[in-house]
Amino acid sequence: MSSNSESLLDQKSEPQNNKTQTNEDALNYQQQHKPRSAFNSRDEYLEHELQIMDPKRWRPNLPFKDYRFELEDSIPAMAATIGKVVMVGAIATTFATSLGLDESFILENVRYELIIASFFIIIFSGFLLPTANLAGTHGPLIPIIPIVVAAGGHPMAFGLLIGALGLILAISKGGSMLANLTSKGVCGGLLLYLGFVGTASQVDKLFKWANDIGMAHIAFVVIFCTIILYALLEHWRKRWLAIPLSCLLGGTIAFAMGAPFEFHTAPGLPNMNPMYWWGDNTGWMLGLPTLESFVVVLPFAVLAVAMWSPDFLGHQVFQKINYPERTEKVQMNIDDTMTSASIRQTFGSLLGGANFTSSWGTYIVPAAIAKRPIPAGALVTALFCIIAALWGYPMDLAIWEPVMCVALVVGVFIPLLEAGMEMTREGKTTQSAAIVVFSSVLVNPAFGWALTMLLDNLGLVGCKDRSAKLTKMNRWILPSIMFVVLTGVMALVGLLPGIPAIIPDLK
């Protein structure tokens, strides 16, 4: 009798809960917002903020009306600004070296790009498309830039084609389609590879810097102390503080142990005239592109956009893992992100910037850890980028190795490793994950993703039940097309190890 009564009570309470949830969903953000004091912990408050947001696509999303700012928003903004200075600096340096431009070009273009990026961050992620991740920098393209220049490629033509192809992919919803074809095992393996390679590269960079100044022991001490700090923050459930505290710790230890550092980038404003940047004797010193310039860079542009999908997918999956339930509305939308990245790329190239866009990983990863929505931190990031560009001095600090390397390790790459391990704990996901890592080491992550997605969907590795439920189009036709196109373009430009470029001029 008692059990029957409990059953009846459960049946009555379930519709009541559903009714309550429906009533809450009918209210807007301002009506559902509660003060921090109404919750038992700050985590509960932040999770509730994510659950009550209702982002509007292509309509105004206003601060305090549709979302609020919190202290946690400064953490991804700080990491994003450091990452932006580093990555745009790397692209500008690679171009400058290949084209024979002097060092002043690098500094001025990085400042210019920070201001361009800030404008588009505010317009899209902060205002019109709050589920679009910030348009960042396409790191995997950096090794390809010398090949593009050697082939006679023009930076503006390259950027405009990336923007056009990316917009086509976004409008056709190709990005989200490819994401849906990718299993947990493939995603997990991709995150594991990116996390491990990124961590190893930053540790190597820190030791190289320490060896160059004759103080190799500094790198060991900084990394060791950072590991202890990160473990303590994990224990105290304050991992969102890892970036500022690690930067402070790394910089303080290195400076106290005698590492040289000085500010040398004075305040100033970059040249904002696009005609200066695309002049024959100023800026890039290349003039405007010709039709031939577009033909030369077409295969590279196809490759760049094809490499977007695994990048965007990894960021979206990481965010989903860290966000609580009932936050689907505020999660990163791959097609919206591709739209904003494509438009930002097009205008950035026309204006004369050196950046090539992708999803901004150094923003979205720490933002997901801090349980913050995209738009609030986006506006803070825009503010930090403008300050860094105009003030100058923060740029020096952001690229100092003891600060930069530990920020990227604890803020981006270690969390990616953790998320990859989380995704490959169950079932046969480890098979697919291992193949992704193996094939990524062979060529690059885009190749590893495309090959393993094909093998996984065919049922040769991973979960056979999942493969059996897929349609013929999703099982092998679309993955095969993606793999053939991506591998074919890589073969054309000589990116397959041991195989000469099919186009003879691209060596």
Side-chain angles (χ1 to χ4, degrees):
M1 184 73 178
S2 175
S3 61
N4 290 337
S5 300
E6 288 178 5
S7 178
L8 288 170
L9 285 172
D10 289 341
Q11 291 175 13
K12 289 180 180 179
S13 64
E14 188 173 343
Q16 186 66 32
N17 290 337
N18 291 338
K19 185 178 180 181
T20 303
Q21 185 62 52
T22 304
N23 290 338
E24 287 183 1
D25 291 340
L27 302 175
N28 61 33
Y29 170 78
Q30 287 179 305
Q31 292 169 326
Q32 294 185 75
H33 174 76
K34 298 177 183 178
R36 161 69 183 87
S37 57
F39 298 89
N40 296 323
S41 68
R42 186 155 185 85
D43 274 353
E44 287 185 15
Y45 167 71
L46 294 174
E47 289 180 1
H48 181 258
E49 284 290 291
L50 290 173
Q51 291 166 339
I52 63 174
M53 274 187 62
D54 188 17
K56 300 181 286 288
R57 296 178 70 249
W58 298 113
R59 284 185 291 159
N61 292 264
L62 303 175
F64 306 108
K65 179 178 181 292
D66 297 299
Y67 58 87
R68 277 173 167 75
F69 296 103
E70 303 291 343
L71 176 63
E72 287 83 355
D73 291 316
S74 63
I75 307 303
M78 182 187 301
T81 306
I82 293 173
K84 191 67 176 175
V85 172
V86 172
M87 296 303 293
V88 178
I91 288 183
T93 300
T94 308
F95 266 118
T97 303
S98 301
L99 294 170
L101 303 173
D102 57 37
E103 195 172 326
S104 62
F105 166 85
I106 300 170
L107 175 63
E108 191 162 7
N109 202 281
V110 170
R111 289 181 123 158
Y112 189 38
E113 270 293 349
L114 287 172
I115 294 174
I116 294 172
S118 301
F119 175 78
F120 285 97
I121 287 170
I122 295 169
I123 294 296
F124 288 110
S125 298
F127 189 61
L128 293 177
L129 282 177
T131 54
N133 186 26
L134 285 58
T137 302
H138 205 341
L141 276 189
I142 294 174
I144 303 172
I145 289 173
I147 306 174
V148 176
V149 174
H154 193 290
M156 182 195 281
F158 192 24
L160 291 178
L161 278 179
I162 290 175
L165 294 173
L167 204 54
I168 292 171
L169 191 63
I171 292 171
S172 63
K173 299 195 178 297
S176 56
M177 177 196 67
L178 292 171
N180 292 332
L181 295 178
T182 308
S183 69
K184 278 189 176 182
V186 177
C187 289
L190 192 63
L191 294 177
L192 284 170
Y193 175 80
L194 295 173
F196 178 77
V197 170
T199 300
S201 68
Q202 294 305 315
V203 171
D204 287 344
K205 186 179 292 185
L206 187 58
F207 269 100
K208 183 180 182 301
W209 164 82
N211 283 321
D212 289 344
I213 63 172
M215 298 178 176
H217 58 283
I218 291 180
F220 176 82
V221 174
V222 167
I223 294 171
F224 178 80
C225 293
T226 302
I227 292 171
I228 301 300
L229 174 63
Y230 191 80
L232 290 172
L233 291 175
E234 283 272 23
H235 177 69
W236 294 328
R237 300 176 63 85
K238 298 292 183 184
R239 195 172 53 148
W240 62 277
L241 287 171
I243 294 171
L245 293 184
S246 295
C247 290
L248 179 63
L249 181 70
T252 302
I253 289 175
F255 192 72
M257 294 180 73
F261 174 76
E262 60 180 10
F263 292 107
H264 54 78
T265 305
L269 187 69
N271 195 309
M272 305 291 285
N273 182 4
M275 295 312 297
Y276 163 82
W277 290 103
W278 295 121
D280 293 323
N281 300 305
T282 55
W284 291 90
M285 299 187 183
L286 292 173
L288 296 175
T290 62
L291 180 60
E292 184 183 356
S293 303
F294 287 91
V295 175
V296 168
V297 298
L298 179 60
F300 298 103
V302 172
L303 177 61
V305 174
M307 292 168 73
W308 271 5
S309 288
D311 206 21
F312 286 46
L313 177 61
H315 296 159
Q316 185 195 56
V317 168
F318 184 85
Q319 189 189 49
K320 286 182 177 180
I321 290 174
N322 285 272
Y323 271 16
E325 295 180 354
R326 296 189 292 111
T327 56
E328 290 77 12
K329 289 182 179 180
V330 295
Q331 289 172 8
M332 170 185 164
N333 183 292
I334 288 180
D335 297 314
D336 285 351
T337 304
M338 285 189 174
T339 301
S340 65
S342 301
I343 296 173
R344 182 258 185 271
Q345 178 63 65
T346 301
F347 282 95
S349 294
L350 289 172
L351 292 171
N355 188 65
F356 295 103
T357 60
S358 184
S359 179
W360 200 325
T362 51
Y363 172 78
I364 198 69
V365 171
I369 294 171
K371 291 184 171 61
R372 294 300 298 145
I374 290 173
L379 295 184
V380 181
T381 301
L383 176 63
F384 281 13
C385 285
I386 292 172
I387 291 172
L390 301 182
W391 196 8
Y393 298 127
M395 293 174 62
D396 298 325
L397 194 58
I399 61 173
W400 193 39
E401 282 79 356
V403 172
M404 175 186 70
C405 294
V406 296
L408 294 177
V409 167
V410 303
V412 179
F413 298 121
I414 293 297
L416 288 178
L417 269 175
E418 293 176 357
M421 293 174 184
E422 180 71 24
M423 293 192 72
T424 55
R425 288 193 310 170
E426 300 174 355
K428 296 182 178 180
T429 54
T430 52
Q431 296 177 359
S432 302
I435 296 296
V436 171
V437 174
F438 189 12
S439 49
S440 295
V441 171
L442 175 64
V443 184
N444 58 40
F447 177 85
W449 163 74
L451 175 60
T452 314
M453 179 176 66
L454 174 60
L455 298 176
D456 188 86
N457 286 5
L458 287 173
L460 299 179
V461 296
C463 180
K464 306 296 187 293
D465 294 336
R466 174 185 172 275
S467 174
K469 294 175 183 176
L470 295 173
T471 64
K472 183 167 67 173
M473 179 67 71
N474 292 345
R475 185 183 300 117
W476 69 272
I477 295 178
L478 289 176
S480 296
I481 292 172
M482 190 66 203
F483 176 70
V484 170
V485 169
L486 194 58
T487 308
V489 173
M490 289 183 184
L492 284 175
V493 301
L495 288 183
L496 299 180
I499 300 176
I502 294 175
I503 301 176
D505 293 337
L506 302 181
K507 297 182 182 178

